[in-house]
């Protein structure tokens, strides 16, 4: 019964995360943490939500705690690099990105190489950080059901930082769930997956392809 409860919480949390409802996702992941303590998935999921909400210091703390408890892995180095990159501290970001790239099994080398180049260029890094403002603006607009304005904000975020896979995921979500365009959504999710291999992106791409294959759309 406990494992079923946690599996349901995990699924609900991931669904909320994929649709950009980060506070609801966090509530589900906190329930998992209350049941499991500092488990790997509790620390990782809460860290991802904190990062999505702009609390990069807490995200980095959670990811560092995961690494401390469970050891160095490529995905944990990647998570720390992600949090550092978004922190606004260019030098720290460059160090974390270099640490992740140094691992021979680095899983998302394309994204990290792109971010390394951004971190080397102070101007490019500044633009990427301004893109985070557009990302937050888009999230607020989407929450207010201003879909077109949210889409424009997410597109500006992706233009400011070509490695912003969260913005790409949000663009794909709007294309799929609001604009009845699974073909465009699939292309956007594929673009995000080319940067980073995340379960939520694979699931979203599968949903877009399924909608494209069945011709399923939402009412206009």
């Amino acid at each position: 019964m406990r494992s079923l409860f946690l599996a349901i919480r995990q699924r609900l949390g991931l669904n909320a995360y994929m649709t950009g409802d980060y506070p609801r996702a966090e509530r589900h992941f906190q329930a998992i943490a209350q049941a499991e303590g500092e488990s790997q998935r509790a620390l990782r999921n809460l860290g991802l939500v904190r990062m999505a909400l702009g609390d990069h210091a807490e995200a980095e703390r959670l990811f560092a705690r995961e690494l401390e408890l469970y050891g160095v892995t490529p995905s944990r180095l990647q998570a720390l690099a992600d949090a550092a990159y978004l922190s606004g501290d260019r030098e720290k970001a460059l160090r974390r990105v270099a640490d992740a790239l140094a691992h021979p099994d680095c899983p998302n080398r394309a994204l990290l190489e792109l971010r390394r180049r951004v971190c080397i260029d102070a101007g490019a890094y500044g633009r990427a950080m301004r893109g985070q403002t557009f990302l937050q603006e888009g999230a607020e607009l989407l929450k207010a059901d201003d879909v077109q304005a949210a889409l424009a904000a997410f597109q500006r975020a992706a233009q400011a930082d070509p490695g912003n896979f969260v913005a790409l995921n949000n663009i794909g979500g709007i294309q799929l769930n609001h604009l009845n365009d699974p073909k465009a959504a699939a292309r956007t999710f594929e673009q995000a997956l080319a940067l980073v291999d995340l379960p939520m992106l694979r699931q979203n791409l599968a949903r877009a392809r399924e909608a494209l294959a069945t011709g399923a759309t939402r009412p206009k």
Side-chain angles (χ1 to χ4, degrees):
M1 184 62 71
R2 179 177 180 272
S3 62
L4 177 61
F5 165 79
L6 293 176
I8 291 171
R9 284 289 198 176
Q10 176 80 355
R11 173 55 62 115
L12 291 172
L14 289 174
N15 287 344
Y17 185 87
M18 287 189 293
T19 58
D21 190 347
Y22 302 123
R24 184 158 64 93
E26 187 170 41
R27 288 195 295 272
H28 289 299
F29 295 148
Q30 284 173 338
I32 293 173
Q34 288 170 3
E36 293 183 341
E38 292 183 314
S39 67
Q40 295 180 58
R41 70 175 173 180
L43 290 167
R44 178 61 62 90
N45 288 339
L46 287 171
L48 289 172
V49 168
R50 283 286 96 201
M51 188 160 59
L53 289 168
D55 188 355
H56 305 123
E58 177 62 8
E60 188 171 3
R61 186 194 72 77
L62 289 162
F63 295 147
R65 181 62 174 162
E66 182 191 353
L67 185 143
E68 177 186 357
L69 290 175
Y70 300 105
V72 173
T73 66
S75 70
R76 289 173 191 141
L77 291 172
Q78 167 92 47
L80 280 167
D82 289 344
Y85 180 79
L86 296 173
S87 71
D89 185 332
R90 186 170 66 93
E91 293 184 359
K92 180 174 71 173
L94 186 56
R95 289 196 303 273
R96 290 289 197 190
V97 168
D99 289 344
L101 281 169
H103 197 288
D105 297 321
C106 174
N108 297 303
R109 198 166 291 278
L111 173 64
L112 289 171
E113 287 287 3
L114 176 59
R115 287 184 166 178
R116 184 185 65 82
R117 292 194 295 272
V118 169
C119 288
I120 289 171
D121 183 336
Y125 187 75
R127 288 191 295 274
M129 293 304 98
R130 287 194 293 275
Q132 292 302 308
T133 302
F134 298 136
L135 186 66
Q136 293 166 10
E137 177 187 329
E140 291 300 319
L141 289 165
L142 190 58
K143 203 181 302 181
D145 291 324
D146 193 342
V147 174
Q148 290 295 340
L151 177 62
F154 291 140
Q155 288 170 335
R156 288 195 296 273
Q159 289 165 0
D161 181 3
N164 194 330
F165 60 86
V166 176
L168 292 171
N169 180 63
N170 292 347
I171 291 167
I174 289 175
Q175 290 166 332
L176 179 62
N177 299 317
H178 297 277
L179 302 183
N180 303 320
D181 195 347
K183 185 175 182 179
R187 286 197 302 266
T188 304
F189 292 135
E190 286 168 355
Q191 185 181 351
L193 271 168
L195 293 170
V196 57
D197 186 7
L198 289 176
M200 70 165 184
L201 294 174
R202 291 197 300 271
Q203 291 171 22
N204 282 345
L205 177 57
R207 287 174 56 232
R209 286 174 173 170
E210 181 181 5
L212 189 58
T214 60
T217 60
R218 301 168 74 93
K220 291 185 183 292

